[in-house]
Amino acid sequence: MATLRDIKRRIVGVKSTQQITKAMKMVAAARLRRAQENIINARPYSRKISEVLSHLLNIEKNFSHPLLTERKVENVAFVVVTSDRGLCGSFNMNVIRTAEDLIRDDYKKYNDEGKLELYCVGKKGLDYFKKRNYNVAGAHPGIFSRLKFEFASGLVKELTHKFINGQIDRVVVVYNEFRSIIQQKTVIEQLLPITPFAEENHEVKAAEYIYEPDKSGIINSLLPKHLNSQMWRALLESYAAELGARMTAMDMATENAKELIRNLQITYNKERQATITREIIEIVSGANALKEG
């Protein structure tokens, strides 16, 4: 049975932990507002540039470009986006497990033959895959504390250079998409080669536009912009999702600490009452013994 001092010490310890989790929740909430604004601003641009590019590629059926070339897959690159810090629930493990499942189910032979490269954005994913002897070709920890568009464009430049030179034949990005504070969705997207999606808006397809200088020139200009915007959006989505997951996890930890403190306080009161009762019994028993003597 724990002594009163032990219970009191544990109550103090849990209260200290509760203060930390509450502070972390407030910090995550403050940063999340800015991250939400950034992703809300980035989504329309990313979506529209994809729509325009797909529209032009659906018109120009015979247009060819190295970034659009589908070829036999011999080498694969995975970009796995995780966080730099923990204490955000299952945020990181969801991405890591999704990437591992995809590698095991669809790309096992490439991994076994050393033809699968990993580009780990975020310390948690980097640490996980390094310990398990994956082929980590790119390590990018600590970028979310100073996240900039230049990093996204630099990573895309490195991947496109390898893709055009035939060093890799497919690039897949795995990350968490921000849905709400309490919901994140793990997403798998093919970055390279670029695949236009089918248009659903028939009015847009039927419309006639005048292109200057020409359709091919516009497509050539849009392709790198499309890749940069997709990578930048994935990083912003992941960062906002991380903050939402951490805010939720710290809120739950704070509530759990509150409940634990309440239970410990009840245990402390019961033990204290039992101690007082025992002392009273001992005093009464001693007094009776003296009277009888």
Side-chain angles (χ1 to χ4, degrees):
M1 180 67 68
T3 64
L4 289 174
R5 183 179 295 178
D6 292 335
I7 298 173
K8 193 70 174 178
R9 189 181 295 117
R10 193 175 179 197
I11 290 174
V12 172
V14 175
K15 283 184 177 179
S16 298
T17 302
Q18 185 186 38
Q19 291 177 347
I20 294 171
T21 57
K22 190 174 182 180
M24 292 185 68
K25 174 192 170 184
M26 294 174 65
V27 171
R31 292 177 177 174
L32 179 60
R33 284 192 287 270
R34 179 67 181 272
Q36 278 184 290
E37 290 177 4
N38 290 338
I39 193 58
I40 288 172
N41 292 334
R43 279 173 178 170
Y45 175 80
S46 177
R47 183 171 57 249
K48 182 54 67 175
I49 199 170
S50 297
E51 290 176 359
V52 172
L53 181 60
S54 293
H55 175 67
L56 289 169
L57 290 174
N58 286 325
I59 293 175
E60 293 288 288
K61 299 291 185 181
N62 297 324
F63 181 84
S64 62
H65 191 279
L67 297 178
L68 299 168
T69 304
E70 291 274 1
R71 55 179 182 255
K72 184 180 178 181
V73 179
E74 299 288 347
N75 298 278
V76 183
F78 270 60
V79 180
V80 183
V81 186
T82 58
S83 68
D84 292 313
R85 298 183 298 154
L87 299 177
C88 48
S90 61
F91 173 86
N92 290 309
M93 285 311 300
N94 286 341
V95 174
I96 290 170
R97 285 172 183 162
T98 299
E100 275 198 317
D101 290 345
L102 186 62
I103 291 171
R104 184 180 62 250
D105 296 340
D106 298 340
Y107 297 95
K108 188 177 186 302
K109 72 170 185 176
Y110 301 99
N111 188 43
D112 293 342
E113 295 172 1
K115 296 182 178 180
L116 188 144
E117 298 178 350
L118 286 179
Y119 290 80
C120 297
V121 180
K123 187 175 183 298
K124 290 299 179 179
L126 175 62
D127 292 344
Y128 181 90
F129 289 110
K130 264 194 170 182
K131 288 178 182 177
R132 286 155 181 82
N133 298 319
Y134 282 85
N135 180 20
V136 179
H140 304 284
I143 65 107
F144 288 105
S145 59
R146 53 186 187 281
L147 186 58
K148 294 182 179 180
F149 180 78
E150 287 75 13
F151 169 77
S153 61
L155 181 56
V156 167
K157 184 177 180 181
E158 179 182 354
L159 293 170
T160 52
H161 176 75
K162 286 190 172 183
F163 181 81
I164 291 173
N165 290 338
Q167 294 172 268
I168 52 178
D169 305 303
R170 181 176 295 171
V171 179
V172 179
V173 184
V174 185
Y175 65 96
N176 275 316
E177 183 181 66
F178 177 78
R179 292 295 182 88
S180 67
I181 293 174
I182 61 173
Q183 184 184 16
Q184 302 85 37
K185 179 186 177 184
T186 306
V187 176
I188 302 169
E189 289 183 355
Q190 179 176 306
L191 188 70
L192 288 169
I194 298 172
T195 54
F197 56 85
E199 293 180 295
E200 297 180 357
N201 192 332
H202 299 288
E203 293 181 2
V204 173
K205 291 178 68 176
E208 293 292 335
Y209 295 97
I210 298 175
Y211 297 95
E212 181 65 32
D214 54 49
K215 297 184 185 70
S216 298
I218 296 173
I219 293 173
N220 285 323
S221 176
L222 286 180
L223 287 172
K225 291 182 173 63
H226 165 76
L227 293 173
N228 289 338
S229 69
Q230 295 306 311
M231 182 61 72
W232 177 237
R233 183 183 62 81
L235 296 176
L236 291 177
E237 293 274 8
S238 180
Y239 184 52
E242 175 198 344
L243 293 174
R246 179 169 291 111
M247 182 178 170
T248 302
M250 292 301 98
D251 182 54
M252 292 178 64
T254 302
E255 290 300 315
N256 290 339
K258 183 179 179 181
E259 182 65 20
L260 184 56
I261 291 170
R262 188 181 73 84
N263 292 334
L264 286 171
Q265 194 68 54
I266 292 172
T267 304
Y268 177 83
N269 292 337
K270 286 181 178 179
E271 185 62 27
R272 182 169 175 268
Q273 187 62 48
T275 302
I276 293 171
T277 303
R278 283 194 301 269
E279 291 175 353
I280 292 173
I281 291 172
E282 290 172 0
I283 293 171
V284 172
S285 299
N288 290 336
L290 289 173
K291 288 180 181 179
E292 291 176 0

